[in-house]
Amino acid sequence: MKKIKTDLLVIGAGSGGLSVAAGAVQMGAKVVLLEDHKMGGDCLNYGCVPSKALIAAGKQAYLMQNGAQFGVANVKPKIDYAAAKDHVQKVIDTIAPVDSEERFEGLGVTVIRERGRFVNENTVQAGETQITARRIVVATGSSPFVPPIPGLENVPYFTNESLWDLRELPKHLLVIGGGPIGIEMAQAHLRLGSKVTVIEGMKAMGKDDPELAAIVVDKMREEGMVIEENAMAEEITGKAGAITVKAKDGRVFKGTHLLMAVGRAANVNDLNLEQAGIKYSRSGIEVDDSLRTSNRKVYAIGDVAGQLQFTHVAGYHAGVVIRSILFGLPSKAKQNHIPWATYTDPELAQVGLTENQSREEHGIYSEVYRFPFDENDRAIAEGKTTGLIKVMVVKGRPVGASIVGAGAGDLIGVWALAIANKMKMSQIAAMVAPYPTLGEVNKRAVGAYFSPRLFESPRVKQVVGLVQRFLP
């Protein structure tokens, strides 16, 4: 039995764990990193990276079929699904060295490719090695949640993890789950030539602003996607190439392939958390505002911490715990400034409060300002006029922003910056956006806030009148 003593032990080499390990070792801490599967975690191997690569392939096919408005003849693309998957793998392989075992060992991290299980409050067993650490960070992420639908155990299905092994284009893909993962993969496959039916137990994109989510759903339907809402799956039957999903209300859906995309489950099993006195539930490890668990020597970050499940949140959490672990300084994680985006076409992005949330929390003090993409010159020039921005303002400061449209995931950054730094609308108004860009959408939303205050104010007109009368 090999025994190691270290300053910091990180369990899990996904986005959050790698960020903690890299930051800590470069600032002088002794670091041990455990990973029993793939370096880079879900984001690199099964999530963000491969999904965006496949979305890009689908977008290219769509553009080839929709060029007539620009004077470019529409053509039917010859789609090679296996080659599209090769593109996905090439993207993963290009990024992988940044997350590799070799790179982190080069930084000075001790990397052990074994699963970690707690022995006591500050000791973890990993294969034939026992690691005792001053502080431990659990960053084990999450996995696809597969609900216990009767019959599913007898039917072949894919999740976002196994989907990338598929090399033949599904003739008719059934997607159970109308959230971000389900809708993104549904549109990508639709554009690559599959028939697609999305089966959602409630409302598609139900966690986003309903007005903006409806714009995305309408666009999907225009492209030919079948989206069945309020269709709770009751039973699944069939075999490879012939699968049937029956909903509780009697609706029946038939397809050749099945993708389960109903959410994520925190990876808390088989860690022996009880041995370390760490409280947890099905939703994840319980943490306080500093991301500390019920065991003060142990922190949890990213998906396993039971909060927002996004790669960039895990990276943000890493910065929070590094401040506390390495410097002993108070550091708390907040959520109100965290943006997220769904990379459909059009994209859908959110930061802070939605319109409904702002009205519920701030009542009469909540104001909402809007600007449509079809009044943006760049959007008009590029035929990307489907879109809308809404900014929620309370006492002169933005508290939330919702954007649907081309580049929404990039545009939301301005509002994430503003909310994180408690900026006023006047400070955002001082920004000059280059013309013509989609970025002007943000500026025009600010203009919608100031226009009535400047152009409809009797007091402003009175002051201007007086100045003009006496100005030499």
Side-chain angles (χ1 to χ4, degrees), residues 299-449:
Y299 296 77
I301 65 172
D303 288 8
V304 78
Q307 299 182 12
L308 295 173
Q309 294 183 329
F310 302 110
T311 296
H312 50 282
V313 173
Y316 165 64
H317 282 176
V320 172
V321 300
I322 282 177
R323 177 182 171 89
S324 177
I325 292 171
L326 298 188
F327 301 103
L329 298 172
S331 185
K332 294 183 178 181
K334 301 177 182 179
Q335 294 196 61
N336 69 318
H337 67 301
I338 301 293
W340 65 87
T342 301
Y343 298 95
T344 46
D345 181 8
E347 292 182 0
L348 179 60
Q350 175 70 40
V351 66
L353 304 177
T354 63
E355 179 179 0
N356 291 339
Q357 290 168 342
S358 181
R359 293 194 190 284
E360 289 175 6
E361 186 169 327
H362 298 286
I364 61 172
Y365 296 104
S366 176
E367 302 174 83
V368 180
Y369 296 93
R370 311 154 67 91
F371 186 76
F373 274 52
D374 61 11
E375 293 183 24
N376 174 271
D377 292 356
R378 182 63 176 271
I380 294 170
E382 296 192 356
K384 298 175 180 178
T385 55
T386 299
L388 172 70
I389 179 173
K390 294 200 294 190
V391 180
M392 281 52 74
V393 183
V394 174
K395 298 180 180 179
R397 298 181 190 274
V399 296
S402 308
I403 308 176
V404 62
D410 295 305
L411 295 171
I412 203 70
V414 168
W415 302 103
L417 173 68
I419 293 172
N421 291 281
K422 299 180 180 179
M423 295 170 66
K424 296 180 179 179
M425 292 294 280
S426 57
Q427 292 173 286
I428 306 170
M431 175 192 73
V432 178
Y435 175 87
T437 60
L438 292 175
E440 288 184 291
V441 167
N442 287 328
K443 182 78 171 181
R444 293 293 295 273
V446 178
Y449 170 79

Side-chain angles (χ1 to χ4, degrees), residues 200-221:
E200 167 56 45
M202 299 177 71
K203 293 285 290 184
M205 305 302 295
K207 292 185 178 180
D208 286 279
D209 179 286
E211 180 184 9
L212 274 60
I215 294 173
V216 174
V217 172
D218 288 346
K219 180 63 163 59
M220 302 298 103
R221 286 173 169 152

Side-chain angles (χ1 to χ4, degrees), residues 63-69 72-76:
L63 291 173
M64 292 178 69
Q65 299 174 78
N66 291 273
Q69 63 176 319
V72 180
N74 296 343
V75 295
K76 185 175 181 179

Side-chain angles (χ1 to χ4, degrees), residues 21 29 91 118 133 181 230 239 246 259 262 272 280 287 305 393 431 445 460 465:
V91 171
F118 281 91
I181 295 174
N230 299 310
K239 59 184 180 179
K246 181 181 177 182
L259 172 64
V262 296
N272 289 349
Y280 67 98
V287 295
V393 183
M431 175 192 73
V460 170

